[in-house]
């Protein structure tokens, strides 16, 4: 199979990762809820980092509900998608450093890492939504994160992820 055919197969079978982006709406919603509490910023940051732990189970459940092929077996590009996701774990080390050094900016760095990690998926899924948002999210996170408290950024991320989910839904609908 040629590369473009493999990309189209991956995009179609995995619905361009719609289940993961939908799960991120929930995760950013949880992070927003955490930042609406009166906990200290260090506690909020710790709980925000813990929210990522529910990503895979939540995405799996959403994939089952939407009948999306979660594993993508049989397409060698699925391994690339896994690699694109796993590399984010290494970048989280930066957020962990910020957690200790500048706690008030940890969520900003976390959002920037999240957004930037989406760029390779624009190639994998041949998606303009991934490309645009992989650029917009880090820039907006930097601007909002420098100017406003983390709760504003968390709210913005919920909205962005909702819009992203809708955009992917329409991209997937066009594929059919």
């Amino acid at each position: 199979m040629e590369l473009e055919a493999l990309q189209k197969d991956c995009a179609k079978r995995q619905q361009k990762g719609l289940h993961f982006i939908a799960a991120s709406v929930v995760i950013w919603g949880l992070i927003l809820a955490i930042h609406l509490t009166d906990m200290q910023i260090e506690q909020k940051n710790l709980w925000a980092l813990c929210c990522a732990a529910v990503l895979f189970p939540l995405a799996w459940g959403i994939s089952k509900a939407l009948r999306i092929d979660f594993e993508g077996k049989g397409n060698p590009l699925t391994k690339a998608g896994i690699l694109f996701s796993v590399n984010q774990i290494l970048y989280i080390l930066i957020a962990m450093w910020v957690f200790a050094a500048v706690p008030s900016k940890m969520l900003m760095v976390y959002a920037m890492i999240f957004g930037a990690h989406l760029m390779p998926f624009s190639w994998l899924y041949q998606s303009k939504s991934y490309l645009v948002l992989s650029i917009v999210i880090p820039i907006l996170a930097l601007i909002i994160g420098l100017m406003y408290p983390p709760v504003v950024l968390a709210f913005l991320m919920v909205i962005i992820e909702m819009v992203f989910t809708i955009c992917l839904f329409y991209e997937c609908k066009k594929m059919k």
Side-chain angles (χ1 to χ4, degrees), residues 123-136:
W123 171 83
L124 180 64
Y125 297 136
Q126 299 177 323
S127 169
K128 288 183 182 174
S129 297
Y130 275 99
L131 180 61
V132 169
L133 288 167
S134 72
I135 297 166
V136 169

Side-chain angles (χ1 to χ4, degrees), residues 33-146:
I34 289 163
H35 278 275
L36 287 169
T37 69
D38 60 353
M39 288 187 274
Q40 296 295 315
I41 189 67
E42 293 82 6
Q43 290 174 303
K44 291 178 183 181
N45 288 343
L46 181 60
W47 283 109
L49 288 173
C50 290
C51 287
V54 300
L55 175 64
F56 281 95
L58 193 54
W60 180 83
I62 293 169
S63 75
K64 294 302 173 201
L66 298 177
R67 296 185 183 120
I68 296 172
D69 180 1
F70 186 79
E71 295 178 32
K73 289 182 179 176
N75 188 323
L77 291 183
T78 300
K79 291 179 184 175
I82 293 168
L83 186 62
F84 296 160
S85 297
V86 172
N87 78 349
Q88 185 180 13
I89 294 169
L90 295 173
Y91 303 136
I92 294 301
L93 295 173
I94 298 166
M96 292 170 79
W97 176 81
V98 176
F99 176 96
V102 192
S104 65
K105 299 304 176 198
M106 194 281 297
L107 195 65
M108 175 187 78
V109 172
Y110 188 72
M112 292 169 69
I113 291 167
F114 168 79
H117 107 280
L118 299 171
M119 189 172 279
F121 292 100
S122 70
W123 171 83
L124 180 64
Y125 297 136
Q126 299 177 323
S127 169
K128 288 183 182 174
S129 297
Y130 275 99
L131 180 61
V132 169
L133 288 167
S134 72
I135 297 166
V136 169
I137 290 171
I139 292 170
L140 275 179
L142 177 65
I143 293 167
I144 300 302
L146 289 174

